[in-house]
Amino acid sequence: MITWTHFRVGAIVALALLGFAGSPAHAVPSASFDFTSDHCTGGCLNGGVGGTATVSETAANTLHFDIVPAAGFGIIATGAGSGTSFGFNLAGDPTITFSSLTSGFIVTGGNPANATTISMNGAGNFEYGVSCNPPSGACGNGGSAPYFGTLSFDITASGLTLASLEQNAKGQYFGMDVFSPSERTGIIDASAITPPPRVPEPASLVLLGSALLGFGVIRRRK
């Protein structure tokens, strides 16, 4: 016969296993930003998203950037961005060191980099940036040979965290010079953090099911 004690034990075990599965031991803090507004003549986005920048705290004092253009969008470096392909800002204007930069790209102003002023058309000014370095780098002059891959790099400075990312005077976290599917060029920007999707946890469900199955076996034996 099943008793209230048996029920409580089974329920507690199930909930404990569920809680354990739902708490990753090594979650990496990260934030994503969609490029949703543009300053291209004639428009580059047409109401869509031009790409996503994801920034992660992969180590102490280090931020890792992955900038993924949307399908059909390429990264360029034109006068619209003062020769910079991707620009960003950091609170406190620290001197930062770039590493693991995608091949064919260079750091605007040299590496290590001090905060400077990089004008990116209607997106405003940014303090730090990288360039696809036309014509001998990852892209060609103008929109002649855009870079269609992922742009990645790490930056390191004392005390650097996700909270170090800041908006410029126009409210933008990032600016990017792009070639669009409509063959227009110009700056697109990201002004808000994209909420992360709610991801189901299959492992949690499996553990819960296993716990309840074990409880059922105990019940049959009683």
Side-chain angles (χ1 to χ4, degrees):
M1 180 181 72
I2 187 169
T3 68
W4 172 243
T5 299
H6 292 143
F7 177 80
R8 283 192 303 173
V9 171
I12 290 171
V13 170
L15 290 173
L17 287 172
L18 186 60
F20 177 78
S23 303
H26 301 289
V28 176
S30 64
S32 293
F33 306 76
D34 286 341
F35 290 86
T36 55
S37 62
D38 73 73
H39 307 277
C40 306
T41 301
C44 287
L45 300 179
N46 296 320
V49 175
T52 301
T54 301
V55 187
S56 307
E57 292 182 16
T58 52
N61 306 315
T62 300
L63 294 177
H64 175 75
F65 286 69
D66 283 317
I67 299 94
V68 182
F73 283 83
I75 300 174
I76 57 178
T78 67
S82 303
T84 291
S85 301
F86 176 80
F88 61 98
N89 304 285
L90 295 171
D93 301 343
T95 297
I96 60 176
T97 300
F98 284 77
S99 60
S100 303
L101 179 60
T102 298
S103 179
F105 284 79
I106 61 172
V107 178
T108 301
N111 190 27
N114 294 311
T116 186
T117 300
I118 303 168
S119 176
M120 300 192 80
N121 203 349
N125 295 331
F126 294 89
E127 301 168 335
Y128 308 90
V130 296
S131 171
C132 55
N133 193 28
S136 58
C139 63
N141 288 321
S144 62
Y147 176 78
F148 288 104
T150 298
L151 166 61
S152 299
F153 58 87
D154 293 335
I155 59 172
T156 303
S158 178
L160 207 59
T161 68
L162 286 174
S164 301
L165 299 172
E166 68 174 1
Q167 294 164 296
N168 66 10
K170 287 186 175 289
Q172 314 304 336
Y173 283 101
F174 308 122
M176 183 163 63
D177 198 356
V178 299
F179 176 87
S180 73
S182 59
E183 300 187 354
R184 297 187 177 100
T185 64
I187 305 299
I188 60 175
D189 55 59
S191 60
I193 298 174
T194 304
R198 295 183 63 86
V199 180
E201 296 180 3
S204 300
L205 298 178
V206 170
L207 284 173
L208 178 59
S210 299
L212 293 176
L213 178 62
F215 176 64
V217 170
I218 293 173
R219 180 178 179 179
R220 285 199 302 271
R221 289 178 178 176
K222 294 297 181 180

